[in-house]
């Protein structure tokens, strides 16, 4: 089974690229979705999250984000609670996919660079766009506050840091047709890795 890491900054278009790769036959494990599950009531990180941040913040992702992205200590605490549970669940899912005979798994990890090798991937695909493009997308399409977007960006690896680990870069700052063409090229490259 070939596991390809997919990463990129907030607003870069990772979800779109993940979906396009799934359309081409990849199975996708999205660590953002896993993170939401592990902190949900009954999830392995829920009780620790409530103990550290209280029930109101633990139940309100937006409010919690507002706190942690303006307080480095709170962000470190959140990461210490969430990341181990996410890694455990990802390992479980990958083992299950391996048993099922999966050929290509795209592991979408927004913080792949920040987690410093916590995930064993055969190759890294980075989805990239200029910071201002990402800010505009998040403000216009997700209704996020611009200052909040910039705080989140500041807490992530830089574009340069992501590029330094990239085997392939998908530039997502043009048309959907252009993005589709780059995903096609990336899928062909992934198929070559299987040989």
């Amino acid at each position: 089974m070939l596991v390809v890491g997919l990463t990129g900054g907030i607003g870069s278009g990772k979800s779109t690229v993940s979906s396009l790769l799934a359309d081409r036959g990849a199975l996708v494990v999205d660590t953002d979705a896993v993170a939401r599950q592990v902190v949900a009531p009954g999830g392995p990180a829920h009780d620790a999250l409530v103990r550290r941040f209280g029930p109101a913040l633990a139940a309100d992702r937006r409010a919690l984000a507002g706190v942690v992205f303006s307080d480095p200590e709170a962000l470190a605490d959140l990461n210490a609670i969430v990341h181990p549970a996410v890694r455990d669940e990802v390992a479980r899912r990958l083992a299950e996919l391996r048993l099922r005979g999966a050929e290509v798994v795209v592991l979408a990890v927004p913080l792949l660079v920040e987690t410093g090798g916590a995930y064993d991937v055969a190759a890294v695909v980075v989805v990239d766009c200029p910071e201002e493009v990402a800010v505009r997308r998040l403000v216009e399409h997700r209704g996020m506050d611009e200052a909040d977007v910039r705080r989140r960006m500041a807490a992530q690896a830089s574009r340069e840091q992501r590029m330094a680990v990239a085997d392939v870069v998908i530039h997502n700052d043009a048309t959907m047709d252009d993005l589709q063409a780059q995903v096609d090229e990336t899928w062909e490259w992934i198929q070559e890795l299987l040989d």
Side-chain angles (χ1 to χ4, degrees), residues 63-178:
L64 180 60
V67 169
V68 301
F69 288 111
S70 59
D71 180 346
E73 185 177 323
L75 181 58
D77 289 348
L78 177 66
N79 289 340
I81 292 166
V82 175
H83 288 284
V86 170
R87 282 193 301 271
D88 288 348
E89 177 60 17
V90 166
R92 188 194 67 74
R93 289 185 188 193
L94 291 176
E96 182 180 297
L97 290 170
R98 186 171 279 112
L99 286 173
R100 288 179 23 208
E103 196 170 40
V104 176
V105 175
V106 170
L107 182 58
V109 186
L111 302 177
L112 186 64
V113 173
E114 295 85 341
T115 55
Y119 297 98
D120 185 22
V121 296
V124 175
V125 175
V126 172
V127 183
D128 183 63
C129 70
E131 191 172 288
E132 293 309 312
V133 171
V135 170
R136 187 180 70 245
R137 284 179 185 153
L138 293 165
V139 170
E140 291 176 5
H141 301 296
R142 287 198 209 166
M144 294 177 71
D145 176 71
E146 183 175 340
D148 180 41
V149 170
R150 293 191 187 278
R151 277 192 300 276
R152 291 178 188 222
M153 286 178 165
Q156 292 185 340
S158 68
R159 290 175 71 193
E160 294 76 19
Q161 289 169 312
R162 283 189 293 273
M163 297 293 202
V165 302
D167 293 296
V168 170
V169 177
I170 295 176
H171 300 280
N172 186 17
D173 57 356
T175 66
M176 182 54 85
D177 286 343
D178 180 61

Side-chain angles (χ1 to χ4, degrees), residues 6 13-23 26 28 30 106-108 127:
L6 177 71
K14 293 177 301 296
S15 296
T16 301
V17 170
S18 288
S19 178
L20 292 170
L21 287 168
D23 290 345
V28 177
D30 181 344
V106 170
L107 182 58
V127 183

